[in-house]
Amino acid sequence: MSPWKQLVGLLVWLAVTFAAAGVAAAASVDAAAFYQQLARPAWAPPAGMFAPVWSALYLMMAVAAWLVWRERGLGGARVAMGLFVIQLVVNALWSWLFFVWRQGALALLDAGALWILIVATAVAFWRVRRLAGMLMLPYLGWVSLAVALTLASWQLNPGRLGQ
């Protein structure tokens, strides 16, 4: 694969991944204010931590997808790339469920599904290129925290996040 094609591929995967981030960000315009209003567990990260962490995670996800694409192309890694795109959609949906529609139970279900999809994507990526699978692990760790935080937030705020 030519260096030019590799560069274009990287830019495409960055665009796809950060488009999902943009959809999530659109739902998160007032997230910091809403997050401050919620009763949170003592271990909850401060609001200012989310944007930089997510930016780094989206960058790692895009590079992981690019590595798999570069190794096998879309046709040769159909399952891995399909899982990647599906998990991006589920990822973006969480922000809408939690911050806009304020549906704690659905956000928790979404976060759990996202966790499973990340595991499946990481395994599929690992089978193609070990580094790609490893790049998904910080994301899995952060979403593990997000699942626990979603559950705790929903339990502590039934009036704000549904019954």
Side-chain angles (χ1 to χ4, degrees), residues 18-84:
F18 279 94
V23 170
S28 303
V29 172
D30 296 321
F34 178 65
Y35 186 71
Q36 293 301 335
Q37 295 172 3
L38 294 176
R40 296 179 308 280
W43 48 267
M49 189 174 184
F50 288 95
V53 169
W54 275 114
S55 296
L57 293 173
Y58 281 118
L59 178 61
M60 286 188 281
M61 283 189 268
V63 170
W66 173 70
L67 289 169
V68 171
W69 169 83
R70 194 177 74 168
E71 191 75 27
R72 297 252 178 101
L74 288 177
R78 190 178 317 254
V79 171
M81 302 317 288
L83 284 167
F84 181 78

Side-chain angles (χ1 to χ4, degrees), residues 6 63-72 76-77 80-81 121-136:
Q6 290 183 48
V63 170
W66 173 70
L67 289 169
V68 171
W69 169 83
R70 194 177 74 168
E71 191 75 27
R72 297 252 178 101
M81 302 317 288
T121 303
V123 168
F125 278 16
W126 182 278
R127 289 179 177 158
V128 174
R129 178 90 190 264
R130 185 172 291 173
L131 177 58
M134 290 171 55
L135 284 169
M136 297 295 288

Side-chain angles (χ1 to χ4, degrees), residues 9-18 62 65-66 69 74 81 84-85:
L10 176 59
L11 294 174
V12 167
W13 286 110
L14 285 166
V16 167
T17 304
F18 279 94
W66 173 70
W69 169 83
L74 288 177
M81 302 317 288
F84 181 78
V85 170

Side-chain angles (χ1 to χ4, degrees), residues 35 39-46 49-50 141-156:
Y35 186 71
R40 296 179 308 280
W43 48 267
M49 189 174 184
F50 288 95
W142 186 254
V143 170
S144 298
L145 174 68
V147 170
L149 185 56
T150 301
L151 174 61
S153 297
W154 177 46
Q155 289 176 332
L156 292 169

